[in-house]
């Protein structure tokens, strides 16, 4: 019964994450229409997306405080209300300043849920069983991007940019209802990470070196990953003499295969003892894949590349969210650890596209690919120094001999 309840909570949480990610990713499919409707340039339009990363950085630690003080259910409700309110403000405005403000309100919701979601999963699932639910959680952004990629243009054509806004709003309302009905915290004695405990010290969690090491590794990965995703369509359009639409179509397939890969990798992670080294291998594999993608001069290889890329793209995020709660010595500090990791995640998203874009502009696509690969390999090196802890406060040995009991203890 407890396992069934855990999965009900997990799926309601993941759906909430997807609805918020739909709100986050709704700008790209209607970017041109928005620029015309509000008479804004590309730089201003770009901030409609980039604001989320800035808000995510600012909200990372406050989200941990909200999680501890309000609990994951009320905190998640606040997150969804922020997204609903921001969407309502945005859909009825004709002012770019108000639209920007509405995106900040939405960003607060996304920032809260990015910490609350994986914390809820950590509460309901022991360390040995977190691989699959955390991996599905890791795919929520990819799933939302795939939905927006295939529906965004249709909605914009039929209803203008407001159609995309209404779609995200409806998704958040549905997710809100399910979240209220299905999500609850386990009893303290049954929780595998009691993030609501009065003993939680935000300062103690922030001082955990391992959380910051993992955050640094995450930042380096996101610089490479988001640099690649942001520019690869342009690279292929120039290399294969395609139009942007044709190149973007292939990039859209990344998300589809990424979601499939996340489920497969998640099932595998529940059987992997040394998850840290799995993450190291995934980071190196991503670096190699980025080289292949940007050095490719024959589009006939794209089908195979897109499938393989989906798996290497999902590899590290699946490991990241599975391990993040283990970077602190006390399981009740998991929410703080996830906040620290979210800082690196959002900094990488913010820095990746302009850094890789500048490298490409100065030295060409091949050097840009080498920079992406180097960033991912460096992330792998940093990750190898991350110390993980088991729930009994002992350092996780990460060896095949370490057997986790149903309570997540090493014996």
């Amino acid at each position: 019964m407890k396992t069934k309840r855990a999965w009900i909570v997990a799926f309601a949480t993941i759906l909430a994450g997807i609805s918020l990610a739909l709100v986050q990713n709704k700008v790209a499919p209607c970017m041109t229409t928005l620029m015309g409707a509000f008479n804004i340039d590309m730089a201003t339009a770009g901030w409609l997306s980039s604001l989320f990363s800035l808000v995510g950085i600012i909200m990372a630690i406050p989200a941990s405080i909200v999680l501890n003080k309000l609990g994951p259910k009320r905190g998640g409700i606040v997150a969804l209300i922020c997204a609903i309110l921001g969407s309502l403000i945005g859909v009825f405005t004709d002012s770019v300043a108000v639209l920007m403000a509405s995106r900040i309100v939405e960003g607060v919701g996304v920032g809260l849920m990015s910490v609350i979601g994986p914390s809820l999963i950590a509460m309901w699932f022991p360390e040995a069983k977190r691989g699959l639910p955390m991996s599905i959680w890791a795919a929520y952004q990819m799933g939302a991007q795939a939905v927006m990629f295939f529906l965004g243009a249709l909605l914009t054509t039929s209803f203008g940019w407001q159609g995309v806004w209404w779609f995200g709003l409806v998704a958040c309302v549905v997710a809100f209802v399910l979240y209220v009905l299905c999500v609850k915290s386990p009893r303290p004695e049954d929780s595998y990470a009691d993030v609501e405990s009065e003993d939680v010290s935000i300062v103690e969690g922030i001082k955990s070196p391992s959380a910051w090491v993992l955050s640094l590794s995450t930042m380096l990965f996101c610089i490479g990953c988001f640099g690649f995703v942001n520019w690869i369509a342009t690279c292929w359009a120039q290399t294969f003499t395609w139009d942007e639409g044709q190149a973007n179509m292939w990039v859209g397939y990344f998300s589809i295969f990424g979601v499939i890969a996340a489920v497969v990798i998640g099932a595998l992670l529940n059987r992997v003892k040394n998850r840290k080294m799995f993450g190291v291998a995934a980071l190196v594999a991503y670096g190699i894949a980025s080289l292949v993608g940007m050095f490719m001069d024959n589009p006939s290889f794209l089908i195979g590349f897109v499938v393989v890329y989906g798996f290497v793209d999902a590899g590290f995020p699946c490991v990241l969210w599975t391990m993040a709660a283990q970077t602190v010595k006390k399981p009740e500090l998991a929410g703080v650890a996830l906040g620290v990791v979210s800082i690196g995640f959002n900094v990488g998203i913010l820095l990746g596209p302009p850094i890789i874009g500048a490298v490409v502009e100065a030295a060409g696509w091949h050097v840009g690919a080498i920079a992406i690969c180097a960033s991912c390999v460096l992330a792998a090196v940093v990750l190898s120094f991350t110390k993980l802890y088991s729930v009994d406060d002992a350092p996780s040995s990460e060896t095949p001999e370490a057997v986790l009991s149903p309570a997540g203890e090493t014996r």
Side-chain angles (χ1 to χ4, degrees):
M1 181 62 70
K2 184 179 177 183
T3 300
K4 180 180 178 181
R5 163 54 65 179
W7 276 107
I8 290 173
V9 172
F11 278 120
T13 303
I14 291 165
L15 287 174
I18 291 172
S19 71
L20 285 160
L22 290 172
V23 169
Q24 180 176 358
N25 291 284
K26 65 189 176 185
V27 171
C30 58
M31 181 76 82
T32 303
T33 305
L34 279 169
M35 290 169 63
F38 289 91
N39 193 27
I40 55 178
D41 57 22
M42 292 180 67
T44 304
W47 276 108
L48 290 171
S49 293
S50 298
L51 274 172
F52 270 77
S53 297
L54 286 174
V55 175
I57 295 167
I58 296 169
M59 285 298 302
I61 301 303
S64 304
I65 299 172
V66 170
L67 173 64
N68 178 245
K69 300 303 181 184
L70 295 184
K73 180 161 187 173
R74 284 185 293 176
I77 288 172
V78 170
L80 287 162
I81 289 175
C82 285
I84 292 169
L85 179 61
S87 295
L88 280 171
I89 294 171
V91 79
F92 288 115
T93 188
D94 57 3
S95 165
V96 67
V98 174
L99 187 64
M100 288 284 188
S102 74
R103 293 292 284 167
I104 293 174
V105 175
E106 293 168 352
V108 170
V110 173
L112 287 172
M113 188 56 73
S114 66
V115 174
I116 291 170
S119 296
L120 253 175
I121 294 172
M123 294 174 75
W124 278 97
F125 291 85
E127 294 167 8
K129 300 297 183 183
R130 284 178 193 158
L132 183 56
M134 284 293 194
S135 295
I136 298 173
W137 169 261
Y140 81 98
Q141 280 282 0
M142 290 180 277
Q145 288 166 0
V147 170
M148 278 302 184
F149 176 80
F150 289 106
L151 291 182
L154 177 62
L155 290 168
T156 304
T157 301
S158 302
F159 306 104
W161 65 268
Q162 292 93 339
V164 183
W165 253 247
W166 279 113
F167 180 74
L169 175 60
V170 171
C172 286
V173 170
V174 172
F176 176 86
V177 173
L178 291 174
Y179 197 89
V180 170
L181 294 176
C182 299
V183 171
K184 61 181 293 187
S185 298
R187 294 177 301 178
E189 62 269 24
D190 293 329
S191 177
Y192 296 103
D194 188 12
V195 298
E196 299 175 87
S197 171
E198 294 181 358
D199 297 328
V200 171
S201 169
I202 302 298
V203 174
E204 182 181 356
I206 292 173
K207 287 182 177 179
S208 173
S210 289
W212 288 104
V213 172
L214 183 59
S215 183
L216 176 59
S217 178
T218 302
M219 182 194 76
L220 291 166
F221 167 73
C222 287
I223 287 173
C225 175
F226 284 86
F228 179 85
V229 172
N230 190 78
W231 293 110
I232 189 60
T234 305
C235 174
W236 287 344
Q238 293 181 7
T239 302
F240 306 143
T241 61
W242 286 351
D243 60 58
E244 290 284 347
Q246 187 176 6
N248 278 318
M249 179 189 71
W250 285 97
V251 175
Y253 293 134
F254 287 170
S255 299
I256 297 175
F257 288 104
V259 171
I260 297 171
V263 176
V264 174
I265 292 171
L268 179 63
L269 281 177
N270 279 349
R271 295 169 172 79
V272 172
K273 300 298 181 182
N274 198 329
R275 291 169 175 169
K276 182 167 68 178
M277 293 312 298
F278 187 98
V280 168
L283 285 166
V284 174
Y286 188 94
I288 295 171
S290 67
L291 286 174
V292 174
M294 283 189 168
F295 273 79
M296 192 184 307
D297 58 6
N298 188 340
S300 62
F301 296 114
L302 275 175
I303 295 177
F305 177 79
V306 166
V307 175
V308 172
Y309 179 86
F311 279 83
V312 297
D313 185 34
F316 177 67
C318 291
V319 175
L320 165 67
W321 297 114
T322 302
M323 293 194 318
Q326 291 179 257
T327 58
V328 283
K329 293 182 179 181
K330 300 176 182 178
E332 60 265 26
L333 298 177
V336 186
L338 287 159
V340 171
V341 170
S342 292
I343 293 174
F345 188 83
N346 284 291
V347 170
I349 292 174
L350 189 65
L351 296 181
I355 288 176
I356 300 305
V359 172
V360 169
E361 190 172 39
W365 293 112
H366 290 177
V367 177
I370 293 170
I372 292 170
C373 183
S375 185
C376 291
V377 171
L378 184 57
V381 173
V382 173
L383 179 64
S384 68
F385 287 97
T386 303
K387 180 181 287 188
L388 303 180
Y389 300 91
S390 64
V391 293
D392 61 356
D393 261 357
S396 176
S397 65
E398 287 279 331
T399 62
E401 289 76 25
V403 181
L404 291 173
S405 72
E409 297 176 349
T410 304
R411 54 184 172 86

